[in-house]
Amino acid sequence: MQFLSEEMIYQKTSQELTALLYEACLDNLESAISHINQKQFMEANKKLQNANDILQRLGVGLKYEAGIVADQLDALYNYMADRVIEANVTKNVETINEVISVLTTITSSWNEALKKKEHAAKLGLRKKAAAYEQHVMISPE
């Protein structure tokens, strides 16, 4: 994950911040696996707690008026948070890998939706510019 200044974070949309949270959660989970494999259980504990905190924040940030997708994401966040707690107690790498698998699927879908949204926004700006240009008179030199 790249270094982000506080100013850069304030310039991000809520959708971009969500993508950053997904990435940070995945980083923490992968770090936890590495620490478990090296028998550094205190460090693994910290990384798993960080991942759980991120999952909780993702759940709090949902807009439930968005409909069934928000409800389904909430259920997935809660499931993953429960599995992270279980993995932290048992230091079970397979459980962490399960969470990584689910979160990777969500992350790739989220990022794909962001790309489509950005593309649609760029097309919208082009259409607005084209509409404006139709009404501009160019004087001959």
Side-chain angles (χ1 to χ4, degrees), residues 17-78:
L17 290 174
T18 299
L20 289 174
L21 287 172
Y22 287 151
E23 188 177 328
C25 191
L26 286 169
D27 287 346
N28 277 292
L29 292 168
E30 290 165 358
S31 263
I33 290 173
S34 175
H35 289 302
I36 289 170
N37 290 336
Q38 297 172 14
K39 308 288 188 216
Q40 298 171 342
F41 299 120
M42 291 300 288
E43 291 301 316
N45 177 53
K46 290 177 189 175
K47 295 296 181 178
L48 291 170
Q49 285 179 0
N50 288 342
N52 202 16
D53 287 346
I54 291 169
L55 290 168
Q56 296 299 326
R57 290 172 198 274
L58 285 165
V60 169
L62 288 172
K63 294 183 180 180
Y64 291 98
E65 59 274 3
I68 193 164
V69 173
D71 292 332
Q72 291 171 339
L73 279 172
D74 186 43
L76 279 171
Y77 294 155
N78 288 332

